Amino acid sequence: MARTTDGEGTPVPQRLLATATRLFAEQGYDRTSVQEIVEKAGVTKGALYHYFGSKEDLLQEVYARVLRVQQERLDAFAGSGEPIEDRLRGAAADVVVTTIDNLDDAAIFFRSMHHLSPEKHKQVRSERRRYHERFRALVEEGQRSGVFSSATPADLVVDYHFGSVHHLSTWYRPDGPLTKQQVADHLADLLLRALRP
Amino acid sequence: MARTTDGEGTPVPQRLLATATRLFAEQGYDRTSVQEIVEKAGVTKGALYHYFGSKEDLLQEVYARVLRVQQERLDAFAGSGEPIEDRLRGAAADVVVTTIDNLDDAAIFFRSMHHLSPEKHKQVRSERRRYHERFRALVEEGQRSGVFSSATPADLVVDYHFGSVHHLSTWYRPDGPLTKQQVADHLADLLLRALRP
Amino acid sequence: MARTTDGEGTPVPQRLLATATRLFAEQGYDRTSVQEIVEKAGVTKGALYHYFGSKEDLLQEVYARVLRVQQERLDAFAGSGEPIEDRLRGAAADVVVTTIDNLDDAAIFFRSMHHLSPEKHKQVRSERRRYHERFRALVEEGQRSGVFSSATPADLVVDYHFGSVHHLSTWYRPDGPLTKQQVADHLADLLLRALRP
Amino acid sequence: MARTTDGEGTPVPQRLLATATRLFAEQGYDRTSVQEIVEKAGVTKGALYHYFGSKEDLLQEVYARVLRVQQERLDAFAGSGEPIEDRLRGAAADVVVTTIDNLDDAAIFFRSMHHLSPEKHKQVRSERRRYHERFRALVEEGQRSGVFSSATPADLVVDYHFGSVHHLSTWYRPDGPLTKQQVADHLADLLLRALRP
DNA sequence: TATGAATGAGCTTTCATTCAT
DNA sequence: TATGAATGAAAGCTCATTCAT
């Protein structure tokens, strides 16, 4: 009996995660009650606590998903055999597109990280740092080979770019004048232009 | 006897505002209880509600202060008679220094805005937009006169830069390798380099 | 094991309602704290809010119960085939007995109605008006058929009687010289005597 | 310098009492805050506490005023040399008119009495009883002389009438179909008719 | 696998009153 | 006479979590 009525086709855990993600993004983690999540997901509190140990676990799942996807995509771009300029441009644009595709995740990511318990917080930050370092490695590679200017420390360059990515959830609107691909190309272009020797 | 006995000489409202700012930045607005604020400020709850109508009013005061300062500083830079390149560079670096000088305010600004009631939220966003537009006008002026490249819409350029400013509270540490002035110069430089024709 | 361990065998919601009714009658709605209700009922605040949406909901429940009972009893008397004089006397005496049987409810009814939110207040008043109109119809029937004097508008007659019913909770004491049935007979008698042509 | 601007001509204590009376009647004693009273009266809290020892004192003043007036008026009617029938009818009608003239006082009187401290409550009740007894004496005088029926104990008769007086604030509207004098005559008439032998 | 009653600590806010000036 | 800052207790309500079934 494969049901599709009322979103009940999706398994309970996924449904909970999707609902929680949306609500966390819309209202913030603290403003979203467990009661609200289960009501909107059409299940009961007992069910939620059957699948997730706590409200915080839901939040961490969101992070885990985001981190996994971003790491994989960056690895793909960084590992291609193309010239460094193309690899950096590709990665820089891709993280914009992916972020726009998951604006909710992004909003949560940058706004609610401090709601995690210290240990989980530390773990997420360390994974995030790994991602950041791999990105920085691309910049440094270009600087060493003289393709990029070395006027600015690579660290700062990366933070400059990720600042703008972080900022997307604040201003990007799907019905705005630019498609996500256009935004991505523009932002990647700004990065590359700033790095011209 | 010009000072009250308990702890500080600073007047109660200021003391409350300073304490609240620090706590909001450290723990987030929702995670900070009124009880905690008054305890750390060394007053009672009644005193807080004597001066501020609600917890939210404290948050709004933080915003009002930040917006006022930033608007004034930008006006000073934009209105100087210098060449457009210098005016934009000056303003871009100054907002970085000012932000670092008030990292707590900045952290609150970008993380807690959505905790304001809809009407106050709207008001802050509209003041913020005015600031953004004045900044954009500088970029457009340079683009029109050919000093800056027109490859990227001015809007996007401004969001790119403010993304990095916004991001500062995430990574900047006073005891890091770079002084705030060095960071400011680097970030302004990245902006100007990206705008080279 | 058909009973819970703590104190009473009665289900929690009923226990809460009974306790609240008694306290509201004794001290008034505003003077009765939720804390006091749950303590006297032997449950926790969380339990109360599990069953009732708010303190006001408890009050409305009291009203709903009273209105239902009174309406039913009046219908029974009004619908009997007896002469109008007997029907009015029966109803007039019965409302006195019922009121004395539930003096707490009555005290709350007339003293705390204005504590309800406007919409609930309106709803209770409209149900109350229906009851009042059915009673008035009895008086009018007797006036039309000449059994009762028409010197006084039926409306006023009804208010005159219900004023005394309302007043019962102020002076009636179970250990006083008159039984509730005697009081009821006397008050009904006064009404009928006043209506003699 | 006799001011009349802005209601400031009236002395502060009177202004406070009038404002408090209105607010107590409209919202109930507990729902009316001292802050609200002083704001609406155009003075400060310090001023209120200069003239009145506490919020409760304001309430007691309302009672004192009502009791004094009613007692005086009843004495006047009872002491006239007229036939008992006319004296009772006069007093019964007069209490209705006076009550309608001060509906706010009446509403407070019957609704907020239990907000007084036990000792003040007791004092008010005892004064109220004196009033009640003087009224009852009129009924008994008529019963002894055979002008009124003795079918109903005089006590009950008095409660019957005062129940309707008490009830006035619930239903009487100045813009209704009957003038206060008409209502008073009708209610006195009902009482006298019920007492016909 | 799921329910939902119940907990208990914590939240923001209100308020009558006091007191130095 | 009057001010208004400050107090401190108590109010109504929310919520993540547990647990017997």
Side-chain angles (χ1 to χ4, degrees):
Chain A
M1 201 187 350
R3 303 179 160 235
T4 11
T5 328
D6 216 335
E8 286 197 15
T10 354
V12 170
Q14 275 92 319
R15 218 154 73 219
L16 282 167
L17 204 51
T19 308
T21 302
R22 180 166 54 85
L23 294 174
F24 289 166
E26 285 170 3
Q27 319 174 335
Y29 178 76
D30 279 324
R31 308 287 250 240
T32 305
S33 73
V34 168
Q35 186 59 43
E36 202 177 351
I37 297 172
V38 298
E39 270 170 17
K40 296 247 163 89
V43 303
T44 63
K45 264 196 263 206
L48 186 150
Y49 280 95
H50 181 73
Y51 292 109
F52 299 91
S54 66
K55 186 184 170 189
E56 205 188 315
D57 280 7
L58 276 168
L59 183 56
Q60 209 199 9
E61 270 303 301
V62 178
Y63 283 127
R65 208 177 46 197
V66 172
L67 290 169
R68 207 181 320 122
V69 169
Q70 291 198 329
Q71 196 70 258
E72 281 168 6
R73 301 191 69 96
L74 176 55
D75 285 348
F77 278 96
S80 84
E82 299 178 36
I84 181 63
E85 204 169 346
D86 295 343
R87 274 182 283 149
L88 182 60
R89 183 185 296 272
D94 181 73
V95 72
V96 172
V97 171
T98 312
T99 298
I100 291 182
D101 278 337
N102 302 280
L103 268 191
D104 278 358
D105 289 336
I108 297 172
F109 200 98
F110 294 107
R111 214 185 274 152
S112 308
M113 207 186 264
H114 54 292
H115 292 328
L116 289 173
S117 68
E119 55 185 307
K120 289 184 181 168
H121 190 190
K122 185 174 259 175
Q123 182 192 331
V124 169
R125 282 179 48 111
S126 108
E127 288 203 48
R128 183 72 190 156
R129 189 157 42 242
R130 278 216 335 259
Y131 177 78
H132 187 285
E133 275 161 11
R134 187 156 314 185
F135 205 96
R136 192 187 59 189
L138 291 178
V139 174
E140 284 170 338
E141 183 185 334
Q143 287 179 326
R144 272 197 310 274
S145 63
V147 178
F148 300 152
S149 156
S150 295
T152 320
D155 249 340
L156 254 182
V157 173
V158 178
D159 275 321
Y160 199 62
H161 187 66
F162 282 119
S164 80
V165 171
H166 169 174
H167 205 46
L168 282 168
S169 61
T170 298
W171 65 267
Y172 183 81
R173 296 289 169 271
D175 51 349
L178 297 175
T179 66
K180 63 189 173 188
Q181 190 59 54
Q182 287 174 319
V183 171
D185 290 341
H186 274 310
L187 294 183
D189 195 48
L190 281 170
L191 175 65
L192 271 291
R193 295 172 67 87
L195 284 175
R196 277 175 303 172
Chain B
M1 204 190 340
R3 312 198 149 213
T4 39
T5 51
D6 51 12
E8 313 271 350
T10 349
V12 171
Q14 277 91 317
R15 218 155 74 220
L16 282 167
L17 205 50
T19 310
T21 302
R22 178 165 55 85
L23 294 174
F24 289 166
E26 285 170 2
Q27 318 172 336
Y29 178 77
D30 278 328
R31 305 291 250 237
T32 304
S33 74
V34 169
Q35 185 59 43
E36 201 177 353
I37 297 172
V38 299
E39 270 170 17
K40 297 248 162 90
V43 302
T44 61
K45 265 192 264 201
L48 186 152
Y49 282 95
H50 182 69
Y51 291 107
F52 299 91
S54 65
K55 186 184 169 189
E56 203 190 317
D57 278 7
L58 276 169
L59 183 56
Q60 209 200 6
E61 269 303 301
V62 178
Y63 284 126
R65 210 179 42 198
V66 173
L67 290 169
R68 208 181 320 119
V69 169
Q70 290 198 329
Q71 194 71 257
E72 281 169 6
R73 300 191 70 94
L74 176 54
D75 285 348
F77 278 95
S80 84
E82 300 178 34
I84 180 63
E85 204 170 344
D86 295 343
R87 274 184 282 147
L88 181 60
R89 183 185 298 270
D94 181 73
V95 71
V96 172
V97 171
T98 312
T99 299
I100 290 181
D101 278 338
N102 303 281
L103 268 193
D104 279 357
D105 290 338
I108 296 172
F109 201 98
F110 294 106
R111 211 185 279 150
S112 306
M113 204 189 266
H114 55 290
H115 291 324
L116 288 172
S117 68
E119 56 186 309
K120 289 184 181 168
H121 189 191
K122 187 174 254 173
Q123 184 192 331
V124 170
R125 280 177 52 109
S126 110
E127 288 205 49
R128 183 71 192 157
R129 188 159 41 242
R130 277 213 338 256
Y131 177 77
H132 187 285
E133 277 162 10
R134 189 155 313 186
F135 205 95
R136 193 188 58 191
L138 291 178
V139 175
E140 284 170 339
E141 182 185 337
Q143 289 179 325
R144 271 197 310 275
S145 63
V147 178
F148 300 151
S149 156
S150 294
T152 320
D155 249 341
L156 254 181
V157 173
V158 179
D159 276 319
Y160 199 63
H161 186 66
F162 282 120
S164 80
V165 172
H166 168 175
H167 206 48
L168 281 167
S169 61
T170 299
W171 65 267
Y172 183 82
R173 296 290 170 270
D175 51 350
L178 298 175
T179 67
K180 64 188 174 189
Q181 191 57 55
Q182 287 175 319
V183 171
D185 290 340
H186 274 310
L187 294 183
D189 195 48
L190 281 171
L191 175 65
L192 271 291
R193 294 172 68 87
L195 283 174
R196 279 175 301 171
Chain C
M1 205 190 338
R3 311 198 149 213
T4 38
T5 50
D6 53 12
E8 313 271 351
T10 349
V12 170
Q14 275 93 318
R15 217 155 75 220
L16 281 167
L17 205 51
T19 309
T21 301
R22 178 166 55 83
L23 294 174
F24 289 165
E26 284 170 2
Q27 319 174 335
Y29 177 77
D30 277 328
R31 305 291 249 238
T32 304
S33 74
V34 169
Q35 186 59 43
E36 201 177 352
I37 297 172
V38 298
E39 270 169 18
K40 297 249 162 89
V43 301
T44 61
K45 262 193 267 201
L48 187 151
Y49 281 95
H50 182 70
Y51 291 106
F52 299 91
S54 66
K55 185 184 169 190
E56 204 190 318
D57 278 7
L58 276 169
L59 183 56
Q60 208 199 10
E61 268 304 300
V62 178
Y63 284 127
R65 210 178 42 199
V66 173
L67 290 169
R68 206 179 323 121
V69 169
Q70 290 198 328
Q71 195 70 258
E72 281 169 7
R73 301 191 68 95
L74 176 53
D75 285 348
F77 278 95
S80 85
E82 300 178 34
I84 180 62
E85 204 169 345
D86 296 342
R87 274 184 283 149
L88 181 60
R89 183 184 297 272
D94 180 72
V95 72
V96 173
V97 171
T98 312
T99 299
I100 291 182
D101 277 339
N102 303 280
L103 268 193
D104 278 357
D105 290 338
I108 297 173
F109 201 97
F110 294 106
R111 210 184 280 151
S112 307
M113 206 188 266
H114 55 289
H115 291 324
L116 287 174
S117 68
E119 56 185 308
K120 289 184 181 167
H121 190 192
K122 186 174 255 174
Q123 183 192 330
V124 169
R125 282 178 50 110
S126 110
E127 289 205 47
R128 183 72 192 157
R129 188 158 43 242
R130 277 215 337 257
Y131 176 78
H132 187 286
E133 276 162 11
R134 188 156 311 186
F135 204 97
R136 191 187 62 190
L138 290 179
V139 175
E140 285 170 338
E141 182 184 337
Q143 289 180 324
R144 271 197 310 276
S145 64
V147 179
F148 300 152
S149 157
S150 294
T152 321
D155 249 340
L156 253 182
V157 173
V158 178
D159 274 319
Y160 200 62
H161 186 67
F162 281 120
S164 79
V165 172
H166 168 173
H167 206 46
L168 282 168
S169 60
T170 299
W171 65 267
Y172 183 82
R173 295 291 170 269
D175 51 350
L178 298 176
T179 66
K180 63 189 174 188
Q181 191 58 54
Q182 287 174 320
V183 171
D185 290 341
H186 275 310
L187 295 182
D189 196 49
L190 281 170
L191 175 65
L192 270 291
R193 293 172 69 88
L195 283 174
R196 278 176 304 171
Chain D
M1 201 187 347
R3 305 179 159 232
T4 13
T5 328
D6 215 337
E8 285 197 15
T10 354
V12 170
Q14 275 93 318
R15 218 156 73 220
L16 280 167
L17 204 52
T19 309
T21 302
R22 180 166 53 86
L23 293 175
F24 290 166
E26 283 171 3
Q27 320 173 336
Y29 178 76
D30 279 323
R31 311 286 251 238
T32 304
S33 75
V34 169
Q35 187 59 43
E36 200 177 353
I37 297 172
V38 298
E39 269 169 19
K40 296 248 162 90
V43 303
T44 63
K45 264 195 264 206
L48 186 150
Y49 280 95
H50 180 73
Y51 291 109
F52 299 91
S54 66
K55 185 184 169 189
E56 204 189 315
D57 280 6
L58 276 169
L59 183 56
Q60 209 199 8
E61 269 304 301
V62 177
Y63 284 126
R65 207 178 45 197
V66 172
L67 290 168
R68 206 180 322 120
V69 169
Q70 290 199 328
Q71 195 70 257
E72 282 168 6
R73 300 190 70 94
L74 176 53
D75 285 348
F77 279 96
S80 85
E82 301 176 35
I84 180 61
E85 205 170 344
D86 295 342
R87 274 183 284 146
L88 181 60
R89 182 185 298 272
D94 180 73
V95 72
V96 172
V97 171
T98 312
T99 298
I100 290 182
D101 277 338
N102 303 279
L103 268 192
D104 278 357
D105 289 337
I108 297 172
F109 201 98
F110 294 107
R111 215 185 272 153
S112 308
M113 205 185 266
H114 54 292
H115 292 328
L116 289 173
S117 67
E119 55 186 305
K120 290 185 179 166
H121 189 190
K122 184 173 260 174
Q123 184 192 332
V124 169
R125 282 178 50 108
S126 109
E127 288 204 50
R128 182 72 191 155
R129 188 157 43 242
R130 280 217 333 261
Y131 177 78
H132 188 286
E133 276 162 10
R134 187 155 314 185
F135 205 97
R136 192 187 59 190
L138 290 179
V139 174
E140 284 170 339
E141 182 185 337
Q143 287 180 327
R144 270 197 311 276
S145 64
V147 178
F148 300 152
S149 156
S150 295
T152 320
D155 249 340
L156 252 182
V157 172
V158 179
D159 275 320
Y160 199 62
H161 186 67
F162 282 119
S164 81
V165 171
H166 168 173
H167 205 47
L168 282 169
S169 61
T170 298
W171 65 267
Y172 183 81
R173 296 289 170 271
D175 51 350
L178 298 175
T179 67
K180 64 189 173 189
Q181 191 57 55
Q182 287 174 319
V183 171
D185 291 341
H186 274 310
L187 294 183
D189 195 48
L190 281 170
L191 175 65
L192 271 292
R193 294 172 68 85
L195 284 175
R196 280 175 302 171

